[in-house]
Amino acid sequence: MSTLALKGPYWVTVRQYRRTLWLAGGLVVLALAVIGGLRIWDAQTPDVYVQDGYQVPSHDNRGYATLRWAMEYFSMGVVLLPLLVGAFVAGPLIARELESGTYKLSLTQSISPARWLGSKLLTSTAAAVGATLLLMAVYALGWVRVGGSSELHWADRGSYEATGTVLVAYVLLAVAVGALVGLLIRRTLVAMAVTGGVVGLVLLILGARRWDFLPVTTITGPADAESTVLTMPEHGLLMEQGLISASGERWPGWFCSSEPVPAIDGSCLPQEPIAAQYLDYHPGSHFWPTQLIETGIVLALAALALFAAFRVLRARHP
């Protein structure tokens, strides 16, 4: 990032953390080199054809296998990105200056406390969002080849975040929470740990509840000796599958047998007769509505944290 066009506290912030910015840029370049190189290696072995002209990667294509392995680890790194951003903002960017008292020098340069904090947040937000968008672009480069394969389903952790809008929202939340925690705690290491814990908790909670935002699609079928187990449509996300009793009660899971329909053998089924089988799933069309709902929730939390950060700053430095 060039510092020539920046002035005042923005230039100071970029200059002060230029090594971190260079490191972030280096990580983006490294990711591009790895994923791009593996895509080139993968292209050296043509796909093979199976029935109905459907193409699949050759078993001899080590480039494809390595690309899938790299994308799985890339997915894990994507989930951790907001935690790293939040920890940096809370610790080195805010808490360390408050802890050491160096922020007082900035306040003597005709800069208000609000402008001091705003310049740091704007600079860190621009850098974090820019790096995030570039990493998402690199992820998409690999995703177009391996997306939908094992461990890389559109609803899997990491893949879900990196292919939608929620990752940027979580990064913005991390910046806001980091600023608030840094102002409240004013101790570098403690602020970093607390911010990582708060952002991680939000990731866990919303990640566990995101598939409750929209109602599932349910398909049912008979459960008799001539029936087969219901199958989910292609690209869907299975939520629950089981049996329906004569009274309408649901019993998730197959009770004793993996045969076509367990109701054939009632020896280990509930005493009440089985009326049907059911399958709940989210179709692929639920991806973007779920993304937008979760993004809105995360951005609202980020706005609240940012508002609280400036209120704390105003209370301590009127």
Side-chain angles (χ1 to χ4, degrees):
M1 173 184 291
S2 174
T3 60
L4 295 179
L6 299 174
K7 297 180 180 180
Y10 303 98
W11 182 90
V12 172
T13 302
V14 172
R15 181 71 178 173
Q16 188 176 6
Y17 298 101
R18 62 188 182 279
R19 291 183 179 177
T20 303
L21 295 174
W22 278 111
L23 177 60
L27 290 175
V28 172
V29 172
L30 177 62
L32 177 61
V34 171
I35 301 301
L38 291 176
R39 283 298 309 272
I40 294 173
W41 186 14
D42 167 48
Q44 305 306 307
T45 305
D47 290 347
V48 297
Y49 288 89
V50 294
Q51 290 182 344
D52 301 324
Y54 185 69
Q55 288 182 278
V56 296
S58 169
H59 291 297
D60 298 328
N61 191 344
R62 297 180 62 185
Y64 177 82
T66 308
L67 176 62
R68 282 195 66 259
W69 174 82
M71 287 291 289
E72 289 177 13
Y73 279 93
F74 199 170
S75 299
M76 290 188 286
V78 162
V79 177
L80 296 176
L81 181 62
L83 278 68
L84 296 176
V85 171
F88 174 78
V89 172
L93 197 68
I94 303 296
R96 187 169 66 184
E97 291 208 15
L98 295 174
E99 184 179 15
S100 63
T102 54
Y103 74 99
K104 296 177 182 179
L105 178 61
S106 298
L107 300 184
T108 62
Q109 307 299 316
S110 300
I111 297 176
S112 66
R115 189 184 176 195
W116 170 79
L117 179 60
S119 65
K120 288 188 172 297
L121 294 184
L122 284 174
T123 305
S124 58
T125 298
V129 171
T132 300
L133 292 175
L134 290 174
L135 287 173
M136 290 173 63
V138 175
Y139 192 92
L141 179 64
W143 177 258
V144 296
R145 175 58 172 163
V146 302
S149 59
S150 176
E151 305 299 328
L152 290 169
H153 188 266
W154 58 267
D156 286 337
R157 294 304 301 261
S159 299
Y160 171 85
E161 285 84 0
T163 55
T165 56
V166 296
L167 183 59
V168 174
Y170 277 116
V171 168
L172 293 174
L173 174 66
V175 172
V177 171
L180 175 60
V181 173
L183 288 168
L184 288 172
I185 296 180
R186 304 165 71 96
R187 294 293 183 270
T188 304
L189 295 179
V190 179
M192 293 175 70
V194 171
T195 300
V198 171
V199 176
L201 184 61
V202 175
L203 280 165
L204 286 175
I205 293 175
L206 290 181
R209 305 305 301 178
R210 63 173 52 123
W211 302 117
D212 296 331
F213 296 158
L214 297 175
V216 296
T217 299
T218 301
I219 54 177
T220 59
D224 52 41
E226 288 74 30
S227 303
T228 57
V229 175
L230 295 174
T231 57
M232 183 177 58
E234 189 177 5
H235 305 307
L237 172 64
L238 178 65
M239 300 302 295
E240 188 175 274
Q241 188 171 11
L243 305 173
I244 302 176
S245 69
S247 63
E249 183 180 358
R250 283 188 170 200
W251 292 318
W254 301 118
F255 286 80
C256 297
S257 174
S258 60
E259 295 301 321
V261 174
I264 296 174
D265 178 11
S267 60
C268 54
L269 292 174
Q271 295 299 317
E272 189 173 352
I274 301 299
Q277 55 177 315
Y278 72 93
L279 185 150
D280 294 338
Y281 74 101
H282 282 291
S285 59
H286 282 188
F287 174 80
W288 280 111
T290 303
Q291 282 271 339
L292 295 177
I293 293 171
E294 186 172 354
T295 298
I297 294 172
V298 176
L299 290 179
L301 293 175
L304 288 174
L306 187 63
F307 174 77
F310 277 95
R311 287 297 299 266
V312 170
L313 180 71
R314 188 176 299 113
R316 294 185 173 180
H317 304 279

